[in-house]
Each structure stands twice: as C-alpha cells, then as structure tokens.
Amino acid sequence: MTGPAPVQRASFPRLRFVGAFRGLYLLAEADDELYVIDQHAAHERILYEELSRRYREEPPVELEHPELLNLSLGEEMAYQERSEQLEAVGLVLEPFGPGRYRIRSIPAFLAGHPALIPEVVKGTLAAHSFTEAWRTVLARLACLPAIKAGHPMAEAPAQALLDTLARCELPWVCPHGRPTVLVMSELELARRFGRRGVRAVERVNGKR
C-alpha cells in the first residue's frame, strides 16, 4: 500500500490543528482529509517568504563600522560581474586594497545576522547565477531560526503556524524543495482499516 503522498494544489485549505506526533509533525484536518505537516519545513517556508518580502521592500542598512573582507581573484571577477545586482538588493562593497573590500551596506534582514555577512557575500559570488545564489542565501537564513524537530508546540502557536502557512505563495514545499505537507484522504484511511467509506457505512446502518 502507498502512504500519504506529498501534494501540490492550486489552493491551500484552511487547516484545523488536531494534534502532534513526536514533536516533529503537526496533524490537522480539512474537509475529508488528514494533513501531516513537517513543522520545521513549514516554518522555513513562512520565514523564507517573509525574508523575500523584506529584501524587496526594506531599504538597505549602512554599516556604522564597515567590515573588511578578503576576496580571491575569482571572487573579485564575480563581484565585478554582479556588482549592480548586489547593489540593487543593498549589498555594497568598496575596494580597500589588493584583494580586500569593505562591506558598506547590507540588506536590512541581514542586520540581525552579522556573523553571516561574509558567508552571504562569498556564497553569492560563488554560485553559478545571482538568482540561485540569493535563493540559497534566503533559504539558509530561513533555516536557522525555524522551529526545530523535537520542539513540542502548543495548540495556539501550532494553529497560528498552519494559518500563516496557508497564506504563503508556495505553501506545499520548503525553500530546499522538500514537501511541507503529506495528505491522506478519509477514504484511504477507511480502506487501510478494511472499512468502507465512512459516509457509505452511515447510509447503510448509521454506524461507523
């Protein structure tokens, strides 16, 4: 038999939280389906879209004390090719001697992660394309604060997470491409228990 399948549909339903399993998965229902939600993957998706919105909408932050960064020859060449794209998202470097640059400004969402700034710059320069690099950066930043596996969630925050996930543009997958949700229909559950569909049973004898 096949198990619950990852799905991607045009719309994401309003889910009602009904429980959790092993501090890893949230259990929810909508219509005649059971949803199993990976809480970490779901929270990653939420944070990723929030970071994406912030880097598009918020002005860059000027660093009070510009950070020095050493770049290899290949990284310098990549920077020359991508400097306009980097400046467009608020990441501005300034030459400061052979192979050295000062980071003058950063996207606003990076202000809370100073230790990651050198990693972000070098990762952006190393990737094959700017788009790929920036997606990797945002996915990495979304992963760090996301609710970890094994962290139990109370009903109210669990329901809030489900409600926020439903408002995401791509709620079905995390930024790394893993599914956030598995779905099993009521009919599939009935078949696995060797029963007919619940509604059919109710029509015959009023029992389950």
Side-chain angles (χ1 to χ4, degrees), residues 55-67:
Y55 105 77
R56 290 194 304 265
E57 299 176 359
E58 296 182 1
V61 174
E62 194 87 17
L63 293 181
E64 186 176 350
H65 303 289
E67 184 168 346

Side-chain angles (χ1 to χ4, degrees), residues 2 6 12 37 42 55 80 93 96 100 113 127 133-134 138 140 147 163 175-176 178 193 200:
T2 59
F12 195 90
I37 301 94
Y55 105 77
Q80 296 304 320
L93 307 185
F96 194 72
R100 302 194 84 190
H113 305 279
W134 212 241
L138 294 176
R140 162 92 167 121
I147 298 167
D163 293 342
H176 308 289
R178 294 192 300 110
F193 282 108

Side-chain angles (χ1 to χ4, degrees), residues 1 5 94:
M1 289 186 180
E94 177 182 88

